[in-house]
Structures are given as C-alpha cells and as structure tokens.
Amino acid sequence: MQQQGTAPDFVLCIGDDRSDEDMFEVIMSAVSSSSLSAVADVFACTVGQKPSKAKYYLEDNTEILRMLQGLASASEHSAKHVSISPQRIIIDRE
C-alpha cells in the first residue's frame, strides 16, 4: 500500500502462539516509527490472557468470531450511514 502512496487506516493482528510475538513487535514498531498513517487504528490481540507484546487479548475463538462479526456489522452500518463512525469491539487487556 505504501508503494501506491496510501497507508492503511486500520490494522488488526491476532495471534495465539509465541511465534506471533514477532508480528506484534513489528506492528507496534511501525506505529512508533510513523511507518503507518498517523490516523491508523492499530490493534494487536493475543488469544488467551498471557504475557504478550500485544496490547489486547481475546479469550478464545468464540470471542474472535464475535469481534469480527461486530466489526463487519459496524462496517456495514457505516457504509449505509456515512456520517456514523464505526464502532470498535475490543477487549482491553488492562
């Protein structure tokens, strides 16, 4: 996207494994180094409450599905009513 002169305005990373910590680190580095748009909403979520570089956690696959359904619903609603901001359904880790 950056090669085309655009940057994403929404990034969602979900991982459930120790190997996903590299992804969380890279995406959070991109946020702090301004590699992403200043207005980008970035959400790094680990599955299960455990030490992680991700800021958020989702308890299990059921919560992932519920969050994705909520995002899809908000996106559809926003597309029909442009003046309404999309809702965010995230479970804060803190």
Side-chain angles (χ1 to χ4, degrees), residues 79-90:
K80 291 177 185 174
H81 303 93
V82 178
S83 63
I84 297 175
S85 301
Q87 298 173 345
R88 290 187 208 142
I89 301 172
I90 297 293

Side-chain angles (χ1 to χ4, degrees), residues 7 13 17 19-21 30-32 34 36 40 43 45-46 48 53 56 62 65 70 75 80 86 91-92:
C13 298
D17 192 81
S19 63
D20 295 315
E21 293 301 312
V31 170
S32 62
S34 301
L36 293 172
F43 300 96
C45 305
T46 189
K53 294 175 184 162
Y56 303 98
T62 302
L65 183 57
S75 178
K80 291 177 185 174
I91 300 169
D92 197 329

Side-chain angles (χ1 to χ4, degrees), residues 5-67:
T6 61
D9 59 0
F10 180 86
V11 178
L12 174 63
C13 298
I14 301 173
D16 66 350
D17 192 81
R18 186 80 192 133
S19 63
D20 295 315
E21 293 301 312
D22 293 338
M23 171 181 61
F24 298 143
E25 186 174 359
V26 167
I27 199 64
M28 297 319 285
S29 293
V31 170
S32 62
S33 71
S34 301
S35 295
L36 293 172
S37 167
V39 297
D41 289 320
V42 178
F43 300 96
C45 305
T46 189
V47 180
Q49 194 168 3
K50 58 187 168 257
S52 176
K53 294 175 184 162
K55 183 175 180 181
Y56 303 98
Y57 79 94
L58 299 164
E59 199 58 48
D60 54 26
N61 290 343
T62 302
E63 282 195 355
I64 294 170
L65 183 57
R66 189 169 47 230
M67 181 203 54

